Every structure is written in structure tokens, then in C-alpha cells.
Amino acid sequence: MLSKRLAGTAAICLLLAAGATACGDDKVSAAKLDTAKLSAEEIQKKAKDALAGATSVKVVGAISSADQNMTLDLAVDTQGQCKGSVTMPGVGKFELLGDGKQVYLKPDSEFISNVAGGGADGAQAAELLKGRYISGVKDDPDMSELTTACNLKDLTKSFLEDGKSTDLTKGSAGTVNGTKTFSIKSKNSGGDEIVVHVATEGTPYPLRIEKSGQGGGKADFTDINKPLTVQSPPADQVIDFAKLKSQVKPA
């Protein structure tokens, strides 16, 4: 029960991050993006190719649905490293930390109490954790999906589904965090509109994505290619997820 609830809640944060990435192989030049001459499809391809060549990205955003709101602040690189947090008002917060070999999850007491079912079960889990990180999520079938969020290349693969979007059209010029951009719009298989804001000067990275409909929200991409340094937590601050599950017994 603990693993399914924890994985189900945490997996929501992957939806926005997965839709925000792109895939491609071509090298990208740093020339100014000529949006007047390029079609929406050509702009989209350049943005995909640009992000595919990035070595690291920081994703900062918010996502909302009928059931839950959340904010995401996560830096990810191509070496399997990640560092950041996910916050859910009324549910709690958890940190993600990946050192390239292991992925660690550190929920606060409010989060672990809620996902463990509250009451004695939640209190027991919170007491066992005592602020420690959870390891072993890569090896758990219910938790392994979380590791996707800690590798930029894995995230780019998940974009392929949204890559089948329809009605791709050109938007308008704008700015994102002080950088000039141009937007392209499309609809996914569910009819939700997706707007991607692409940098028009320098490498045409996608700098913001906005999605309407169920699970809609906004994510900004910053610190592109900024080196990410992650230190594994000390052994005495880590508990294995399999051990945690075995010790958390329903009340």
C-alpha cells in the first residue's frame, strides 16, 4: 500500500516534466531563429534538436488538476544526476536526489504521513524515516518510474507521445525570463493545447511550455548546460525502501 500510494502521487510530477522535453539528433547552430521564414514544424524540430543536445536543464513549474496542485523545481542532467523538490499543498513535499547510480527520495513528515494512509501507519513511517532519504526506488516496480525524472535522456524519450501532436501552428513573439522567444502551438491526442516558447536568439531551446486541460500547467527551463554537482547522502541518513515497506504495518 505504501509503495503504490507514494508512486502514484509522485508520478503526477512527471507528467509536466515529460511533456516539456524533446528529442532529436541533429546539431543546432547558434544563429538567430528566422521565424518569418520557418514553418511551425521547422521551429518545433529546431527546439527538439536543441534540447536533445543539452547536457543539463532545470525545470521549474506548476501543475494543477481537479484533485491536486503541485510545484516542481528539479535540475536534471544526462549522467543520471538530479536535484530538486516537488511540493503539494495539503499533502507535503519531497526531495529527489540522484547521483548517477542511485536515486534518493526524501519526503517530509506531512508527505509520508499522507501517502502512508495517515493515522498510526503514517506516524510509524514518519518515525522510521526521521528525515532520512529513501534508497532502492530503482529496484522497486512501483517506484522505478521516479528514476525517469532523474535522467535527461530518459525524459526526452517520453516526449515522443506528445510529439504526435496535431494542428501545429505558429504563435507570436514574446519574452521568457528576459530572453526573446517565439511560440508554437499544437494539440495533443486529448485535445489539450500545448504552447512552447522557443528562444529566437542563440540556440533555439524551448524555454517555457504551457499546457491546458487536465493536468495542465506551466514549466520554465533554466540553467541549460549548467554543470550539476550532486553528493550522495551519508549512509546513516538513508533507509532502503524495501526495509521501510517491511516495517510499516497497517494499523
Side-chain angles (χ1 to χ4, degrees):
M1 179 65 73
L2 175 63
S3 62
K4 289 184 178 179
R5 283 180 177 170
L6 188 56
T9 306
I12 300 172
C13 78
L14 303 181
L15 299 179
L16 189 59
T21 56
C23 180
D25 297 315
D26 296 340
K27 293 183 179 179
V28 181
S29 69
K32 185 174 180 180
L33 194 66
D34 193 342
T35 57
K37 293 183 178 180
L38 295 172
S39 66
E41 289 78 10
E42 290 170 327
I43 296 172
Q44 181 191 56
K45 184 179 186 304
K46 285 183 177 292
K48 288 182 176 183
D49 291 345
L51 194 56
T55 57
S56 64
V57 174
K58 185 176 183 181
V59 184
V60 180
I63 184 171
S64 62
S65 67
D67 300 322
Q68 184 64 59
N69 298 324
M70 67 170 54
T71 58
L72 172 70
D73 188 332
L74 183 67
V76 188
D77 72 9
T78 55
Q79 304 304 310
Q81 294 189 122
C82 67
K83 182 165 57 177
S85 63
V86 176
T87 304
M88 305 176 190
V91 177
K93 175 182 179 179
F94 65 88
E95 297 177 24
L96 273 175
L97 188 68
D99 61 6
K101 297 179 180 179
Q102 183 69 264
V103 177
Y104 302 91
L105 176 70
K106 185 179 182 181
D108 65 9
S109 57
E110 180 186 16
F111 187 88
I112 195 63
S113 178
N114 277 311
V115 299
D121 196 14
Q124 183 185 14
E127 177 63 22
L128 286 169
L129 278 170
K130 291 182 178 178
R132 290 185 289 180
Y133 287 89
I134 301 171
S135 65
V137 293
K138 274 188 172 183
D139 304 319
D140 189 279
D142 292 321
M143 297 294 290
S144 58
E145 184 180 7
L146 278 174
T147 63
T148 302
C150 284
N151 190 295
L152 187 57
K153 293 300 184 184
D154 286 345
L155 277 177
T156 60
K157 294 177 183 177
S158 64
F159 179 75
L160 292 176
E161 180 63 30
D162 269 357
K164 299 175 183 177
S165 56
T166 60
D167 301 325
L168 189 64
T169 59
K170 294 168 72 171
S172 59
T175 59
V176 172
N177 298 321
T179 300
K180 293 181 179 179
T181 60
F182 190 84
S183 63
I184 52 174
K185 302 178 180 181
S186 63
K187 290 187 178 180
N188 62 16
S189 56
D192 302 320
E193 184 179 68
I194 300 170
V195 182
V196 180
H197 302 263
V198 182
T200 56
E201 295 181 345
T203 306
Y205 291 115
L207 299 183
R208 174 175 292 167
I209 184 170
E210 297 172 289
K211 181 177 177 291
S212 66
Q214 186 69 18
K218 180 180 75 172
D220 285 357
F221 310 109
T222 65
D223 295 349
I224 298 174
N225 294 327
K226 182 178 180 179
L228 184 60
T229 302
V230 176
Q231 273 195 321
S232 306
D236 62 354
Q237 294 182 22
V238 177
I239 184 171
D240 185 76
F241 189 57
K243 180 180 180 180
L244 177 64
K245 287 195 299 181
S246 68
Q247 294 186 34
V248 176
K249 305 297 183 183

